[in-house]
Amino acid sequence: MPTPKCALLIGHPLGHSLSPTFHNAAFRAAGIDATYRLADVLPENLAATVATLRATDMYGANVTVPYKQDVLPFLDALSDEAAALGAVNTIVNNDGKLVGLNTDVPGFAADIRARGIVVAGRPVILLGAGGAARAVIAALAGMAVGRLVIANRTTERASAIQRQYPAIATATGITYHDLSTTLPDTALLVNATSVGLHGDEIPIAAELLDLLPPTAVVYDLIYRPTALLRAAQQRNMHAIDGLGMLIHQGALAWEAWTGHNAPLNVMWQAAYDARAR
Ligand code: NDP
């Protein structure tokens, strides 16, 4: 009998997470004897926890806030995407060697493609300049986005990312004054700030959505209905939450661990059900 395997979600604080539900549902559906567990790790225990991933019964881990950059020194190799971004959301145990991947980048791209949203050659506004925003920008650049406006409360953080994409990106603040002339030409507005994660805050004034063309898509990385998405729906716009990105980044991690195709439908259903509870 092969030893049961294990994958962790490393973060702090972890709170509620949908990941164990859909990863474990995928293991069950594929007949794989494995479990996905939460590992709420204090900073002083991060190195020791990552070291446990080298054991033969460990597939590896997902890594979330605040450790996506902090884990880098404890790994043996990085994928090109993880190296370019300087951030890892997935660790794979390859016979005792730990390889860092970033599946947020292809995860966002996969969800955009699966929904038939075309960004090639088209203008996009991205709200936010944190870790998730960097992953979204890398994905959009890889999909040949036409023009990208990075809008962030702290404009200097947006400018720091913009300098890496000088041919396509501009940086600005997040006010009416900053965005009113750009919105009418926008095909896709992505919220990668954490505004709306708790409660009913909205990252830009709802009235600004009136300036978007009616065909615009509003995508919020937060994976539940948010005030931004409600405001978009009230204007009959296509509004998408971040559950698809979460599933796709998770499915890519699951495939890297197991070597099998991920049962995407099973993962979707498990995540939907868990979110509704
Ligand atoms: P970071 O902490 O790295 O970045 C937070 C961003 O939100 C910054 O741009 C910050 O602006 C902005 N922000 C925070 N508070 C405010 C505020 N009160 N007003 C205006 N702007 C604010 O977080 P992440 O990039 O890691 O995550 C961002 C969001 O994306 C989270 O909600 C997270 O849950 C979600 N996410 C979803 C994923 C998915 O799979 N669906 C994957 C990864 C993340 P400033 O620079 O000015 O501080």
Side-chain angles (χ1 to χ4, degrees), residues 56-183:
T56 50
D57 62 342
M58 298 302 287
Y59 272 137
N62 280 144
V63 183
T64 187
V65 179
Y67 298 133
K68 287 185 183 183
Q69 295 172 348
D70 299 352
V71 293
L72 266 67
F74 310 127
L75 306 179
D76 302 306
L78 297 177
S79 69
D80 290 347
E81 265 152 358
L85 227 60
V88 159
N89 82 326
T90 300
I91 300 171
V92 180
N93 175 17
N94 273 346
D95 297 326
K97 291 227 175 315
L98 299 183
V99 182
L101 316 180
N102 193 306
T103 67
D104 284 334
V105 178
F108 177 79
D111 194 44
I112 289 284
R113 274 197 213 95
R115 294 172 189 279
I117 299 168
V118 177
V119 296
R122 305 182 77 196
V124 173
I125 294 180
L126 175 73
L127 310 178
R134 284 176 184 271
V136 168
I137 294 165
L140 290 170
M143 297 168 92
V145 66
R147 197 175 69 245
L148 180 62
V149 175
I150 309 167
N152 195 47
R153 175 179 62 177
T154 312
T155 314
E156 180 39 44
R157 288 187 82 194
S159 300
I161 305 178
Q162 180 276 330
R163 285 193 281 275
Q164 295 174 21
Y165 300 92
I168 52 167
T170 53
T172 185
I174 206 163
T175 65
Y176 179 92
H177 175 73
D178 297 313
L179 295 174
S180 56
T181 54
T182 318
L183 283 158

Side-chain angles (χ1 to χ4, degrees), residues 128-132 152-154 157 192-195 221-223 242 245-246:
N152 195 47
R153 175 179 62 177
T154 312
R157 288 187 82 194
T193 76
S194 46
V195 180
L221 260 60
I222 296 170
Y223 43 84
M245 178 179 175
L246 182 76

Side-chain angles (χ1 to χ4, degrees), residues 178-264:
D178 297 313
L179 295 174
S180 56
T181 54
T182 318
L183 283 158
D185 291 328
T186 297
L188 172 67
L189 173 84
V190 181
N191 176 37
T193 76
S194 46
V195 180
L197 190 55
H198 310 290
D200 266 349
E201 315 101 332
I202 188 159
I204 55 168
E207 300 71 46
L208 276 177
L209 298 183
D210 293 328
L211 302 178
L212 285 169
T215 51
V217 177
V218 176
Y219 190 114
D220 198 330
L221 260 60
I222 296 170
Y223 43 84
R224 64 176 188 82
T226 59
L228 175 67
L229 294 177
R230 279 197 300 279
Q233 280 160 346
Q234 282 159 7
R235 290 160 176 78
N236 295 317
M237 287 170 181
H238 189 179
I240 300 169
D241 66 53
L243 192 62
M245 178 179 175
L246 182 76
I247 300 285
H248 282 287
Q249 65 75 30
L252 291 163
W254 194 94
E255 291 180 346
W257 295 326
T258 65
H260 297 281
N261 289 331
L264 265 176

